[in-house]
Amino acid sequence: MKNRLIGRLPKVGIRPTIDGRERGVRESLEVQTMNMAKAAAQLIEENLRFPSGEKVECVIADTTIGGVADAARCADKFSREGVGVSLTVTPCWCYGSEVMDTDPLIPKAVWGFNGTERPGAVYLAAALAGYTQKGLPAFGIYGRDVQDSDDTSIPDDVREKILRFTKAALASAQMKGKSYLSLGYTSMGIAGSMVDANFFQDYLGMRTEFVESLEVIRRMDEGIYDREEFEKALAWVKENCQEGEDRNAPDKQRDRERKDWEWETVVKMTLICRDLMIGNPKLAELGFGEEARGHNAIAGGFQGQRQWTDYYPNADFTEAILNSSFDWNGLREAFIFATENDSLNAVPMLFGHLLTNTAQIFSDVRTYWSPEAVKRVTGKELTGLARDGVIHLINSGSTTLDATAQQKDEEGNPVMKPYWNVTEDEAQACLDNTRWCPASLGYFRGGGYSSQFKTAGKMPVTMSRVNLVKGLGPVLQIAEGWTVELPEDVHAVLDERTDPTWPTTWFVPRLNDSDAFKDVYSVMANWGANHGAISYGHIGADLITLASILRIPVSMHNVDEKDIFRPSAWASFGMDKEAADYKACQTYGPNYG
């Protein structure tokens, strides 16, 4: 388990603040205050890991912080230790602005202990007022129930908020300084593939690296890839990647020699795209020092259509394997690699990956099937979760193989796991339930292979999407729901109406009384683009917290209001939570802009 990107993983800094009055007051609080910091650190370290599998590390200030000098020493230590997230804890009154964390680029939260002996809540309110007045939004954490002064436990509601804030803040910190790799540029006029470098820099703190797709051809032609790994990968593909039905007209189908060349090409493309993202020291051994370095890309995308795919095999295999939790080298962290270079779908895929450590699904938000339309074309009625209609999530084959839903929890339910919890048998089951169909030559004149599978079972998932709005900036859409498995005879009829050689996920959003979620049709009708990023689990609340850290307003969601956790300053912008979110994001602006 090792971070594959350049730069240290961010640490969580714990700041135990205290009443600075000595000769009895400070001394009486030292143990309780430091114990709060230790308890918070233990909670975080025992529950959070990075997508690479490494454990999150907390750094506690050397002393409690009772004034400006202590705060400065803490800030200096945090700078040396690479702290990217700040959590202040206290059970008592402290000198608000004197002990606060004033670094504007580090997300911050304050946990004020709810006890009657000392006014931790009073300090929390004073500190949050100071942060708000100084334009440094901070999250406030305050337990619902009063605790005794010697109670070192963390209540469930406090625990939930600490972990939600920390996950989101770490996600923000991990993106900072990394790259989005744009291989090619705009695909078929898709707006999301018109990569906006200013958005990545201003809102995410990321670079944007632009590499013409001709570089992939150059590396193939000049042998700039690990030839030994290529032979290993090709043998693995022949053993594990089962070729599916060729649905092209018989007189258009490619012969075996051409198909074998296409397999070799897409395997090389996979190696090369990975090397372009994160580098490969093996290339330096082969005499290609510059190419060995990579672009330190935490996410990327491949233009593909049409200039590439009219001539060379498509990248469906490349994208599907990179986005999965395994390949010929075994289990490993999934990459974030967008079809059609849709950078605005890569971003929520990255959000989901950093929040859950799991592989992400990339799909077209293709079709809404009403119960009436399904009955008309199949003669069958939708039942269960699907009774109000379903959304067909499907694209040309780049969806992660983890989405076959062959990974299981302890009760046997289908799940998508962090790679370190995936077993070799589960990875094999994902491969065994996937076919690789020769690409439709009407769409892809250069050939290639599209993954074909159907997401099994019922899984809680969250679909999200970032859209850029002229005059406004980025907005985030969120729809929590479930995958559903339709009866095979119903699935077959509906699937044939699109392209049965592509991977299918049937999705049902959770409905409520809001206009966008009053029915399944409304979710489809209000979706802002042709693509969606789908993450395992109901993570809408985590996405909302992350979006507030990044100053990206949420334009659509079906998260319960009690689970929404944003900086305390958002309450100063009015009682309408969504309007306040827009106004706060506009007022504070992007962190790096």
Side-chain angles (χ1 to χ4, degrees):
M1 295 180 181
K2 183 180 179 182
N3 178 27
R4 63 193 177 201
L5 298 169
I6 300 165
R8 295 174 297 178
L9 290 169
K11 297 177 183 178
V12 178
I14 311 293
R15 307 175 71 255
T17 57
I18 199 166
D19 191 323
R21 287 171 284 202
E22 296 184 355
R23 303 182 187 180
V25 177
R26 179 167 184 163
E27 293 85 348
S28 69
L29 294 164
E30 288 281 359
V31 173
Q32 183 186 6
T33 304
M34 193 57 78
N35 281 342
M36 278 186 72
K38 293 176 181 177
Q42 181 179 1
L43 171 69
I44 291 166
E45 291 182 344
E46 289 181 350
N47 287 277
L48 299 184
R49 293 170 82 165
F50 292 105
S52 58
E54 294 178 279
K55 292 186 176 180
V56 172
E57 183 179 345
C58 292
V59 177
I60 300 176
D62 291 333
T63 67
T64 55
I65 302 169
V68 171
D70 296 330
R73 292 187 186 96
C74 175
D76 181 59
K77 179 179 183 179
F78 284 6
S79 177
R80 286 183 279 110
E81 292 282 349
V83 165
V85 177
S86 171
L87 174 63
T88 297
V89 303
T90 190
C92 60
W93 170 253
C94 310
Y95 305 152
S97 61
E98 295 184 23
V99 301
M100 67 168 46
D101 170 7
T102 58
D103 189 324
L105 295 181
I106 294 182
K108 48 188 83 343
V110 183
W111 171 26
F113 185 78
N114 185 1
T116 57
E117 291 82 1
R118 298 284 181 176
V122 177
Y123 164 69
L124 174 64
L128 294 175
Y131 280 119
T132 299
Q133 188 169 325
K134 290 177 178 291
L136 300 170
F139 290 80
I141 301 171
Y142 180 61
R144 175 175 291 273
D145 298 317
V146 171
Q147 293 179 259
D148 297 330
S149 61
D150 60 352
D151 185 353
T152 58
S153 66
I154 302 179
D156 288 344
D157 60 333
V158 172
R159 172 190 175 96
E160 181 180 357
K161 287 184 176 179
I162 288 175
L163 292 178
R164 176 158 295 149
F165 160 74
T166 306
K167 277 193 295 185
L170 283 171
S172 171
Q174 287 174 80
M175 290 184 280
K176 183 181 177 183
K178 304 304 187 296
S179 303
Y180 177 83
L181 176 62
S182 173
L183 280 167
Y185 194 62
T186 304
S187 174
M188 301 185 296
I190 294 173
S193 63
M194 299 173 186
V195 183
D196 188 324
N198 290 328
F199 161 68
F200 277 92
Q201 173 60 48
D202 293 350
Y203 285 88
L204 309 181
M206 289 174 58
R207 299 173 180 267
T208 308
E209 293 284 281
F210 295 92
V211 175
E212 174 52 53
S213 50
L214 180 65
E215 173 66 4
V216 179
I217 299 175
R218 183 182 78 88
R219 293 194 182 201
M220 287 194 290
D221 289 348
E222 296 186 6
I224 308 176
Y225 55 88
D226 184 342
R227 265 65 68 89
E228 292 181 3
E229 185 180 5
F230 166 68
E231 294 298 335
K232 175 183 179 181
L234 188 61
W236 179 86
V237 164
K238 290 179 179 178
E239 181 178 352
N240 294 284
C241 297
Q242 304 172 57
E243 204 167 294
E245 180 184 4
D246 190 338
R247 299 287 293 243
N248 292 292
D251 63 324
K252 301 291 186 183
Q253 293 179 11
R254 303 292 176 59
D255 60 25
R256 188 69 256 166
E257 181 180 5
R258 167 69 189 201
K259 288 181 176 179
D260 289 343
W261 175 84
E262 290 176 13
W263 271 120
E264 293 175 5
T265 300
V266 298
V267 170
K268 290 176 184 176
M269 289 165 58
T270 308
L271 293 173
I272 290 167
C273 288
R274 179 205 62 195
D275 292 350
L276 281 162
M277 289 186 74
I278 63 170
N280 185 350
K282 184 70 173 180
L283 300 185
E285 298 175 19
L286 298 173
F288 302 104
E290 180 182 2
E291 291 85 349
R293 291 179 173 86
H295 291 269
N296 201 31
I298 196 171
F302 189 80
Q303 174 190 334
Q305 298 185 68
R306 284 188 42 213
Q307 287 75 17
W308 178 276
T309 55
D310 278 0
Y311 187 53
Y312 269 84
N314 65 29
D316 286 2
F317 174 83
T318 294
E319 293 158 0
I321 292 298
L322 287 177
N323 283 324
S324 298
S325 297
F326 50 83
D327 60 19
W328 43 84
N329 292 318
L331 297 165
R332 51 100 175 114
E333 179 188 351
F335 288 82
I336 299 300
F337 201 63
T339 300
E340 295 160 345
N341 198 28
D342 187 349
S343 62
L344 296 183
N345 215 55
V347 168
M349 288 174 70
L350 180 58
F351 291 171
H353 181 58
L354 296 175
L355 290 169
T356 68
N357 301 332
T358 59
Q360 302 294 297
I361 299 172
F362 183 112
S363 281
D364 281 354
V365 184
R366 190 84 176 200
T367 310
Y368 162 66
W369 278 100
S370 67
E372 295 78 13
V374 171
K375 186 170 184 180
R376 178 177 61 81
V377 302
T378 69
K380 303 292 180 67
E381 293 195 3
L382 294 175
T383 60
L385 278 175
R387 64 185 178 276
D388 296 318
V390 294
I391 294 175
H392 196 179
L393 303 177
I394 182 173
N395 69 359
S396 61
S398 65
T399 299
T400 173
L401 302 194
D402 296 51
T404 55
Q406 298 303 308
Q407 301 161 22
K408 309 292 182 182
D409 64 14
E410 293 178 355
E411 285 75 41
N413 300 309
V415 297
M416 292 170 63
K417 302 177 182 178
Y419 80 91
W420 58 85
N421 288 332
V422 178
T423 68
E424 292 185 2
D425 287 344
E426 288 171 334
Q428 189 62 50
C430 294
L431 289 162
D432 292 343
N433 281 272
T434 304
R435 296 294 181 270
W436 299 92
C437 298
S440 169
L441 297 177
Y443 282 116
F444 306 111
R445 299 172 189 172
Y449 294 91
S450 297
S451 60
Q452 177 199 52
F453 61 79
K454 179 181 65 173
T455 298
K458 180 178 72 173
M459 296 191 297
V461 294
T462 302
M463 184 166 74
S464 61
R465 168 76 186 185
V466 168
N467 298 301
L468 291 182
V469 182
K470 186 175 177 62
L472 173 62
V475 298
L476 177 67
Q477 295 181 290
I478 300 168
E480 292 185 340
W482 299 267
T483 66
V484 294
E485 193 167 358
L486 301 182
E488 184 56 39
D489 54 348
V490 174
H491 163 79
V493 172
L494 304 187
D495 212 35
E496 282 287 341
R497 294 176 69 105
T498 302
D499 191 321
T501 68
W502 295 348
T504 279
T505 302
W506 297 106
F507 173 65
V508 174
R510 184 176 60 244
L511 304 179
N512 59 33
D513 294 333
S514 67
D515 287 344
F517 290 94
K518 62 186 178 183
D519 51 37
V520 180
Y521 169 81
S522 296
V523 176
M524 178 79 180
N526 281 279
W527 205 248
N530 53 311
H531 293 147
I534 298 89
S535 181
Y536 175 77
H538 287 159
I539 65 166
D542 294 333
L543 286 167
I544 288 174
T545 297
L546 174 57
S548 67
I549 291 173
L550 300 173
R551 314 289 190 262
I552 299 175
V554 178
S555 62
M556 167 182 168
H557 73 81
N558 58 347
V559 176
D560 195 310
E561 185 170 311
K562 67 179 176 56
D563 295 324
I564 295 175
F565 189 37
R566 292 180 170 123
S568 63
W570 266 236
S572 300
F573 290 90
M575 295 180 64
D576 183 324
K577 283 185 179 292
E578 305 319 315
D581 182 35
Y582 271 79
K583 185 63 176 176
C585 289
Q586 180 186 45
T587 298
Y588 291 113
N591 288 326
Y592 310 102

